[in-house]
């Protein structure tokens, strides 16, 4: 089991593939965490009473092993999570995934975990992947020894670490600060690429051992309309059949590709945005020009599911100039099987962190 460490930096399109089913699953896990951090902890670990470990600390053996190895304190973990605040969802960005996959491959070939393997700054690395220069915030999480997507997600969310924890006689088994967790909850981040390595891992590797060598690149961006700087909302979510694991949650293999997603002004019935679910069943539709104070309706007509409605939340953030930021929106359409009938449609390691925020505009 590899230890965690963190780095935080706060100074002032390439065509890419859709996410794989496992990458979409990790995105769904992250958005579940951002929507309700306290509930996500309950999904990952087991307490016999508040802040007290149950006999099995997690239903996932790899997560339980890490908690035992680092001597993670149940009471400290519960106390930290009690004060966490929810954040808007993240949307998939394929350009960020280009840079994330590239860096995971570099870690494998170098058998190292560091933010400086390519000699580039984080903004250079992400722009080389095709993200562009109009970024507001950037962040990076790395994990070289993920055992599964869920184990990797838990590693960042729990942020276990502090050397060998109780085995070494010190620490509470949680990173201080919990920078990886904080990055995943950063409300200023709006997009993510989750890069798994696409090269073989040599059997001689001692650091980047996988089987999942994961880089997460998070960012947000803006546009200039001639008068204002604007960061548009993105409608994100998934269309899936809840047939592999009947848990009312997206699982790899359940996504439905090519499903129409239409967004209407609910009062006028005018179509204002549209798109399709990708090959993994996820969708990410930029809501350019949409504003707060308006009720919008989302439909997935191919599924026959009921429409959903949302309103946008806008806030002005200071990046040297005011930027009008519209928070992302999450909607999901799940087709759930009923017993005894056909499907019926119902609406329904070593880790590192790098974060950079734009403080001024050129």
């Amino acid at each position: 089991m590899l230890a965690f460490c963190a780095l935080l930096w706060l100074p002032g399109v390439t065509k890419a593939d859709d996410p794989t089913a496992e990458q979409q699953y990790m995105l769904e896990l992250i958005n579940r965490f951002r929507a309700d951090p306290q509930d996500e902890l309950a999904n990952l670990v087991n307490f016999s009473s508040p802040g007290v470990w149950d006999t099995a600390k997690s239903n996932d053996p790899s997560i339980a092993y890490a908690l035992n190895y680092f001597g993670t304190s149940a009471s400290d973990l519960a106390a930290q999570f009690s004060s966490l605040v929810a954040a808007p969802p993240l949307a998939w960005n394929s350009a960020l995934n280009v840079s994330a996959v590239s860096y995971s491959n570099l870690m494998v070939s170098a058998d190292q975990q560091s933010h400086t393997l390519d000699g580039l700054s984080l903004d250079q690395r992400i722009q080389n992947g095709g993200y562009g220069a109009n970024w507001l915030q950037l962040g990076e999480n790395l994990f070289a020894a993920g055992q599964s997507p869920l184990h990797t997600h838990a590693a960042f969310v729990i942020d276990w670490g502090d050397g060998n924890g109780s085995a070494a006689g010190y620490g509470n088994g949680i990173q201080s600060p919990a920078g990886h967790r904080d990055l995943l909850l950063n409300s200023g981040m709006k997009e993510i690429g989750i890069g798994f390595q696409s090269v073989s891992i040599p059997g001689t590797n001692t650091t980047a051992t996988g089987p999942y060598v994961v880089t997460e690149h998070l960012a947000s961006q803006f546009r200039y309309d001639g008068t204002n700087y604007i960061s548009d909302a993105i409608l994100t979510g998934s269309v899936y059949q809840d047939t592999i694991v009947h848990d009312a949650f997206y699982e790899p293999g359940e996504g439905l590709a090519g499903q129409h997603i239409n967004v209407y002004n609910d009062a006028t019935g005018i179509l204002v945005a549209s798109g399709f679910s990708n090959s993994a069943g996820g969708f990410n539709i930029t809501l350019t020009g949409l504003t707060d104070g308006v009720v919008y309706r989302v439909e997935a007509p191919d599924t026959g599911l009921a429409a959903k409605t949302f309103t946008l939340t806008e806030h002005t953030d200071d990046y040297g100039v005011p930027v009008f930021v519209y928070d992302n929106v999450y909607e999901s359409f799940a087709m759930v099987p009923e017993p005894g009938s056909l499907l019926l449609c119902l609406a329904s390691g070593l880790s590192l962190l790098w974060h950079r925020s734009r403080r001024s505009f050129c």
Side-chain angles (χ1 to χ4, degrees), residues 34-59:
R34 284 170 70 97
D36 190 337
Q38 292 76 28
D39 190 60
E40 186 63 3
L41 182 62
N43 288 322
L44 298 175
V45 305
N46 298 324
F47 293 141
S48 60
S49 59
V52 179
W53 290 125
D54 204 345
T55 302
K57 295 181 180 180
S58 173
N59 294 334

Side-chain angles (χ1 to χ4, degrees), residues 197-218:
Q197 81 282 359
S198 60
V199 296
S200 297
I201 301 174
T204 54
N205 273 17
T206 59
T207 298
T209 56
Y212 291 86
V213 178
V214 181
T215 301
E216 294 179 340
H217 280 166
L218 295 86

Side-chain angles (χ1 to χ4, degrees), residues 229-246:
Y229 294 96
I230 303 167
S231 181
D232 291 302
I234 304 170
L235 173 65
T236 187
S238 59
V239 183
Y240 67 97
Q241 297 182 92
D242 193 28
T243 53
I244 295 178
V245 180
H246 304 305

Side-chain angles (χ1 to χ4, degrees), residues 81-149:
F81 267 74
S82 68
S83 63
L84 297 182
V85 177
L90 294 172
W92 179 266
N93 183 281
S94 291
L96 290 176
N97 203 57
V98 169
S99 57
V101 170
S102 176
Y103 203 76
S104 288
N105 288 342
L106 181 58
M107 291 191 291
V108 170
S109 63
D111 190 22
Q112 296 182 49
Q113 184 100 27
S114 166
H115 290 285
T116 59
L117 293 178
D118 54 8
L120 300 177
S121 64
L122 182 56
D123 54 316
Q124 289 173 323
R125 185 176 304 148
I126 286 176
Q127 288 180 62
N128 284 350
Y131 192 67
N134 287 350
W135 57 269
L136 295 171
Q137 295 198 50
L138 304 173
E140 180 179 84
N141 276 339
L142 309 173
F143 189 25
Q147 299 304 297
S148 68

Side-chain angles (χ1 to χ4, degrees), residues 265-277:
N265 181 308
D266 193 48
T268 66
I270 295 174
L271 181 69
V272 293
S274 64
F276 295 88
S277 60

